[in-house]
Structure formats: C-alpha cells, structure tokens
C-alpha cells in the first residue's frame, strides 16, 4: 500500500496533458489534411482508405510492443521518443510524396501514435481510485478531442497544398515534446509495471474490449474518410473544416458527461445509450436540410462515437491494480486498432452509395447498441454494481 501511495503522489498529469494538447492539434489537422492533400501531391484519391488502414495497422502493431519500451525507459522518455518518431514520419511524407513512401510513413506514424496513446493513458490512469481514473481520463479525452477540433480549423487558413501545412504539424509536435523535456518529474514508477498474463487478458471485460473495437470501427472512417465525404457534398463542401471540427468538438464536450455517468451507471448500458443516440445523429445527417441541422447532427454523431473509448477503457481498468494498467491499456488499444484497420476499408466498400459512410456508421452504432443492451440486462440480473460494469 505504501508503494501505491508513493506512485500516486509522484504521478503528475501536467506533462502528459500539455504535451497531448499540442499533439492533438497537430494530429487532428493531419488526419484531415492527408486525404484532402492527395490531389496537390498528384496522388490518387483512392489512396485515402489505404492510408487510413495502414496507419491503424501501425497502431495495431505498436499496441503489441509499447509496454516493453515503457517498462525499459519510463513514461517520460517513451513520450519523447514516440513524438519524435511521429515528426520523422510527417517530414518523410513531405520529402518524398509518392504512394509507397506515404504508406510506409503512415505505418510508422501509427506505431508512434500507439506509443503516445499507451504512454499518456497509462500515465493518467495509474492512480488509486476508479473515481480519480474517470476524472483523469475525462481530462485526457477533453485535451485530445479539444485539440483535434482546433486542428480542424487550420484547414481554412493554411489550406491543404504545399509544404506549409505539414511543417505546421511538425512544429506543433515539436512543441508537444517540450512538455516532457522541461517537466522532468511526475512520471509513474516504471518498476511497478507488470505484464498481464494471457489468462487474465481472457478475463478482461468483454464489453470493454468490444467497446474499444467499435470505437475503432467508427473513428477510423471518421478521421480517414469523413473529410472526403463532406467535401464531396455540394451543400457541405465549403464547411469541411468546420463540420469536422464540430464532430470532434462533440467528442470533447461529452467528456464531462462521460466522467460523471461512468461512475453512476452500469457501463455497458451507458455505451448502449450513447450508441443509440449516435445512430439518431447519423439519421439526422441524412435528413437535415439546413446548416444548423447538419451541425447538430454531426455534433451528436461525434459526441457519441468518441464517448465509447473512455467508457470502455475505464471499464477494463476498474478492478485492476496500478501495476497492470499499462498492459491493460495496451490490450484495449489493440482492440481499438483492429477496428480502426478494418473500419476504413469496410466503409470504403460502401462509397459507391451517395451516403455510404453514414449508413456504415449508423450500422456500427446500432449493432453495438444491441450488444451492449443485452450485456447490460445480463449484468443487472446478475446484480453487478454500476462501477463494475
């Protein structure tokens, strides 16, 4: 118990949150910039889903190796390492704008981003109570999605052509590195980290893993294909950056509600409720005939799609000791990555339909909703507490 108390005291969230905020602005802008900048670099627009999938494949591969690096060098140096690797991948895209190099660069970027996610999530989640974990993860998600939303707004003033947008991204990532470089204290004790054995991985919450999988199936296409979908709509094209910002802004503003409800409601039920409302947002996109209606619908879709991951990951970590949090976040990121790899390709198969990606997102949300409601009913009948999920 004394060791846990010491770990909690030394675990300061300042460096990861500041670094994450700059990373999020850069990453949010980059995710929309890449598919939109393909024509400027004379690359086939059909490359967009492949770039999204290869990125998330890198995320998947990274999720299986990050823990060993964190254990060896600690959270702070791991954070610096992965941000540096991401900068290299961005500059490589700019230096050699061809199909093969961009696919390789995005694969490397996926590995780097996996490292950033595991490092920051585990850094913040390594605290003693479920309530504290929920609050910290809410702070994490607010910084991540708030920064991503701000990043979308750079599309207008910076455009999507030439080297300037990519140099802007690299500069923001350099600023992100300054936080762990200058704030040298506050990382969790690396010697306390333990690997989850296979038998314990099998006992992790199935709704938690499926929630992370569904989150990947939703967010992969939202980041990788939604900018292209919006820009192809004649009544929405001029608002591409704004509507993408609205989607991610929805993910930010819902986080306080997620933090509040996740300790008060059964988590499978909560994920099911968000999926149901998110499906209604997708229907709203198809039915809206005014800009205000579109904004509200995109906001709802974004809020509900981005709500799943924090609920799922806190569900997975609720009953775990701090020493196993890194390993658990790695498993959850692996589930998310699997969904993210296949999501863009599945959605792209519906691209011939005028609103294929919207139908795809609605289908994922409804399917997940049904599963979560069934699991929730079973949990309630079994007498499980809301926090246990």
């Amino acid at each position: 118990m004394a060791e846990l108390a010491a770990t909690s005291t030394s675990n300061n969230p300042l460096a990861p949150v500041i670094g994450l905020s700059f990373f999020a602005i850069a990453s949010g802008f980059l995710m929309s910039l890449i598919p939109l900048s393909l024509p400027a670099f004379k690359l086939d627009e059909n490359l967009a889903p492949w770039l999204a999938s290869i990125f998330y494949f890198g995320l998947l591969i990274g999720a299986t190796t990050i823990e060993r690096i964190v254990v060896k060098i600690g959270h702070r140096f791991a954070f610096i390492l992965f941000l540096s690797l991401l900068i290299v991948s961005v500059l490589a895209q700019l230096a050699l704008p061809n199909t093969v190099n961009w696919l390789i660069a995005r694969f490397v970027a996926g590995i780097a981003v996996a490292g950033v996610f595991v490092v920051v999530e585990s850094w913040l989640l390594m605290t003693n109570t479920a309530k504290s974990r929920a609050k910290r993860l809410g702070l994490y998600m607010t910084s991540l999605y708030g920064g991503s939303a701000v990043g979308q707004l750079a599309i207008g003033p910076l455009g999507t052509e030439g080297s300037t947008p990519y140099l802007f991204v690299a500069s923001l990532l350099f600023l992100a590195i300054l936080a762990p470089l200058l704030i040298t204290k506050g990382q969790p004790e690396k010697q306390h980290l333990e690997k989850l054995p296979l038998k314990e991985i099998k006992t992790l919450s199935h709704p938690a893993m499926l929630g992370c999988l569904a989150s990947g199936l939703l967010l992969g296409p939202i980041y990788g294909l939604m900018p292209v979908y919006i820009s192809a709509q004649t009544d929405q094209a001029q608002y591409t950056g704004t509507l993408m910002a609205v989607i991610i802004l929805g993910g930010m503003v819902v986080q306080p509600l997620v933090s509040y409800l996740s300790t008060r409601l059964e988590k499978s039920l909560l994920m099911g409720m968000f999926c149901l409302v998110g499906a209604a947002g997708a229907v709203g996109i198809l039915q809206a005939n005014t800009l205000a209606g579109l904004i509200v619908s995109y906001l709802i879709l974004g809020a509900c799609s981005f709500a799943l991951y924090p609920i799922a990951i806190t569900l997975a970590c609720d009953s775990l000791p701090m020493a196993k949090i890194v390993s658990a976040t790695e498993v959850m990121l692996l589930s998310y990555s699997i969904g993210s790899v296949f999501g863009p390709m599945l959605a792209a198969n519906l691209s011939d339909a005028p609103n294929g990606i919207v139908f795809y997102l609605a289908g994922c949300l409804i399917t997940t909703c049904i599963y979560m409601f069934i699991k929730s009913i079973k949990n309630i009948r079994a007498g499980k507490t809301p926090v246990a999920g």
Side-chain angles (χ1 to χ4, degrees), residues 226 229 236 274-290 293-302 304-305 355-366:
M226 187 62 83
Y229 166 78
Q236 302 177 30
F274 274 116
C275 286
L276 183 61
V277 176
V283 173
I285 292 172
L286 300 177
Q287 299 296 322
N289 50 24
T290 65
L294 276 174
I295 289 175
V296 171
S297 298
Y298 277 114
L299 185 73
I300 292 172
L301 176 65
C304 296
S305 298
N355 298 290
I357 187 173
V358 180
F359 285 116
Y360 165 82
L361 295 173
C364 286
L365 287 162
I366 288 295

Side-chain angles (χ1 to χ4, degrees), residues 177-198:
I177 290 178
L178 291 180
L181 274 176
L182 299 177
I183 303 174
T184 59
K185 296 182 180 180
Q187 68 173 333
E189 298 292 338
K190 63 181 180 180
Q191 63 264 29
H192 291 162
L193 304 183
E194 298 177 12
K195 182 74 175 178
L196 275 176
L198 182 60

Side-chain angles (χ1 to χ4, degrees), residues 4-349:
L4 291 180
T7 301
S8 179
T9 301
S10 65
N11 186 346
N12 189 320
L14 187 61
V17 170
I18 293 175
L20 180 74
S21 298
F22 284 109
F23 161 82
I25 297 172
S27 180
F29 179 41
L30 183 63
M31 293 298 280
S32 292
L33 171 65
I34 286 173
L36 294 174
S37 66
L38 290 173
F41 288 101
K42 296 181 173 56
L43 295 172
D44 192 339
E45 291 188 27
N46 292 326
L47 187 61
W50 291 100
L51 288 170
S53 288
I54 197 70
F55 169 81
Y56 288 110
F57 182 62
L59 201 73
L60 188 152
I61 297 300
T64 65
T65 58
I66 300 307
E67 183 188 10
R68 291 190 290 272
I69 297 174
V70 176
V71 169
K72 187 170 184 178
I73 67 176
H75 283 73
R76 189 171 73 90
F77 285 114
F79 196 19
I80 295 169
L81 171 66
F82 292 123
L83 286 172
S84 300
L85 185 61
L86 185 56
I87 291 176
V88 171
S89 72
V90 171
L91 295 179
Q93 283 186 257
L94 190 58
L96 295 171
N98 60 67
T99 299
V100 174
N101 187 62
W102 274 41
L103 287 170
I104 294 173
R106 292 308 289 161
F107 174 74
V108 172
I111 295 174
V113 170
V116 171
F117 285 163
V118 170
V119 168
V120 176
E121 288 169 10
S122 60
W123 191 329
L124 296 178
L125 285 170
M126 291 178 74
T127 184
N128 290 326
T129 66
K131 185 176 181 180
S132 178
R133 288 173 183 172
K135 287 183 177 179
R136 283 189 168 207
L137 199 64
L139 178 64
Y140 162 70
M141 292 296 175
T142 300
S143 299
L144 178 61
Y145 299 149
S148 296
V150 171
Q152 304 300 318
L153 300 179
I155 294 175
L158 293 179
T160 59
E161 298 183 359
S163 62
T164 300
Y166 285 89
L167 293 176
F168 175 71
V169 169
S171 300
L172 287 172
L173 292 173
F174 176 76
L175 292 176
I177 290 178
L178 291 180
L181 274 176
L182 299 177
I183 303 174
T184 59
K185 296 182 180 180
Q187 68 173 333
E189 298 292 338
K190 63 181 180 180
Q191 63 264 29
H192 291 162
L193 304 183
E194 298 177 12
K195 182 74 175 178
L196 275 176
L198 182 60
K199 64 180 181 180
E200 287 192 41
I201 293 176
K202 292 180 180 179
T203 63
L204 287 175
S205 169
H206 291 174
M209 287 191 282
L210 189 112
C212 289
L213 176 68
S215 179
L217 288 169
L218 292 166
L219 299 186
I222 284 177
Y223 276 126
L225 300 179
M226 187 62 83
V228 177
Y229 166 78
I230 295 174
S231 64
Q233 309 303 306
T234 55
D235 58 338
Q236 302 177 30
Q238 60 182 317
Y239 305 111
T240 298
T242 300
L243 292 176
M244 282 301 300
V246 165
I247 292 173
I248 301 172
L249 183 64
M252 182 188 75
V253 299
V254 80
Q255 295 309 314
L257 181 62
V258 169
S259 296
Y260 177 81
L261 293 178
S262 63
T263 57
R264 291 167 174 80
L265 291 178
E266 200 276 329
K267 290 186 174 65
S268 298
L269 174 63
L270 185 58
M271 285 190 280
M273 291 168 59
F274 274 116
C275 286
L276 183 61
V277 176
V283 173
I285 292 172
L286 300 177
Q287 299 296 322
N289 50 24
T290 65
L291 179 60
L294 276 174
I295 289 175
V296 171
S297 298
Y298 277 114
L299 185 73
I300 292 172
L301 176 65
C304 296
S305 298
F306 283 96
L308 295 181
Y309 189 76
I311 300 171
I313 199 170
T314 51
L315 174 57
C317 295
D318 273 343
S319 60
L320 293 176
M322 283 190 290
K324 296 180 179 178
I325 293 296
V326 173
S327 186
T329 55
E330 193 178 61
V331 173
M332 292 301 107
L333 183 60
L334 181 63
S335 299
Y336 171 85
S337 302
I338 292 171
S340 300
V341 168
F342 291 104
M345 302 310 299
L346 292 173
N349 287 334

